[in-house]
Amino acid sequence: MLIIPAIDLKDGHCVRLKQGAMDQATVFSEDPGAMAKHWRDQGARRLHLVDLNGAVAGKPKNEAAIKAIVQAVGEDVPVQLGGGIRDLDTIERYLDDGISFVIIGTAAVKTPGFLHDACYAFPGHIMVGLDAREGKVAVDGWSKMTGHDVLDLALKFQDYGVEAIIHTDIGRDGMMTGVNVEATLELARALTVPVIASGGISNLDDVRKLCAVEAEGIPAAITGRALYEGKLDFAQAQKLADELAEKA
């Protein structure tokens, strides 16, 4: 199980939100590059970035910070990025900048043709972020609920050729109330592409619960707020995940 630290970017700073509310941002670092190096030095094998301003604006807004992060970790640590990616030119630019995986969220739901084109143009580099509450998908930085069922969309996007689905339970994200293992597992069992767990991971128990179902198709988990608030020690979490994998 890969534990992936999240770096959420707002106005060039590293922040965390509670349930996606931009007005409830807590700044954790004013140097995104240094934060990325910190996680690499702690043993992170991948980083998860979100351009929060970009997600709201529908276009990239933190490119300088994103470039600084990619430069800081070099080629050793793949970086996946989401937030405001709405056209193929943006994807190409990010991949040229050294981003390994581009995450399409709102645009995948609203304009599935774009996602289809992206998977065709950049095979192996496109992930989809599905943010859900009680099985229904939310868009536009979680501000709008849709009637779309998570599973239906995930199956459709799998057929397009996405690399992975990132499943976030938005009722739990940033709240540190524990990960929604049941909903993530249900999705993973229905799909053949990997499902990355996100939202609510708060302690080593959550890591244990996810590792117990890793073989069902959940190879990685994203965590943010718990790391920054000291509730979860990253190096300890990854070490535990590695030890459990060896025993499995």
Side-chain angles (χ1 to χ4, degrees):
M1 171 80 58
L2 209 55
I3 309 297
I4 307 175
I7 300 179
D8 289 359
L9 299 167
K10 180 175 185 268
D11 307 329
H13 301 149
C14 302
V15 304
R16 285 304 289 166
L17 306 184
K18 275 193 181 173
Q19 294 185 304
M22 286 290 272
D23 59 353
Q24 294 207 34
T26 309
V27 176
F28 284 102
S29 170
E30 295 188 359
D31 187 342
M35 183 56 73
K37 266 188 190 152
H38 167 74
W39 294 129
R40 181 198 65 190
D41 294 346
Q42 290 277 307
R45 302 200 279 269
R46 190 184 294 186
L47 293 177
H48 175 81
L49 308 190
V50 182
D51 178 352
L52 293 169
N53 304 99
V56 173
K59 58 185 177 184
K61 288 287 184 182
N62 281 285
E63 279 190 90
I66 291 160
K67 281 183 180 173
I69 286 168
V70 171
Q71 257 181 330
V73 297
E75 291 175 10
D76 305 342
V77 181
V79 177
Q80 58 191 50
L81 165 72
I85 297 161
R86 305 281 194 272
D87 58 67
L88 297 178
D89 287 345
T90 299
I91 297 173
E92 187 167 25
R93 198 162 75 243
Y94 276 143
L95 294 177
D96 286 346
D97 285 345
I99 293 293
S100 299
F101 303 102
V102 166
I103 303 156
I104 301 174
T106 293
V109 181
K110 289 186 165 179
T111 49
F114 162 58
L115 176 66
H116 192 276
D117 291 346
C119 290
Y120 181 76
F122 308 105
H125 294 286
I126 306 298
M127 296 179 173
V128 165
L130 288 177
D131 304 328
R133 193 193 299 273
E134 292 170 10
K136 299 295 181 191
V137 173
V139 293
D140 294 333
W142 307 352
S143 61
K144 293 181 191 135
M145 293 303 297
T146 71
H148 293 295
D149 187 81
V150 174
L151 185 52
D152 292 346
L153 281 183
L155 286 165
K156 180 163 87 168
F157 297 158
Q158 173 176 274
D159 288 346
Y160 289 177
V162 298
E163 187 68 11
I165 301 280
I166 297 172
H167 175 257
T168 304
D169 181 330
I170 64 176
R172 303 194 187 204
D173 187 83
M175 303 305 285
M176 297 193 295
T177 50
V179 67
N180 190 339
V181 176
E182 298 77 18
T184 310
L185 185 55
E186 188 184 345
L187 199 56
R189 282 176 172 160
L191 300 172
T192 53
V193 296
V195 174
I196 297 172
S198 170
I201 295 167
S202 55
N203 54 41
L204 291 176
D205 269 349
D206 289 329
V207 175
R208 281 189 194 92
K209 284 176 194 165
L210 283 168
C211 286
V213 294
E214 180 178 2
E216 303 269 7
I218 308 170
I222 297 163
T223 181
R225 194 174 195 98
L227 296 178
Y228 294 105
E229 296 195 349
K231 305 280 193 325
L232 182 68
D233 179 285
F234 173 78
Q236 222 178 5
Q238 187 61 70
K239 183 168 177 274
L240 173 66
D242 291 345
E243 285 169 359
L244 291 171
E246 279 172 25
K247 287 178 191 168

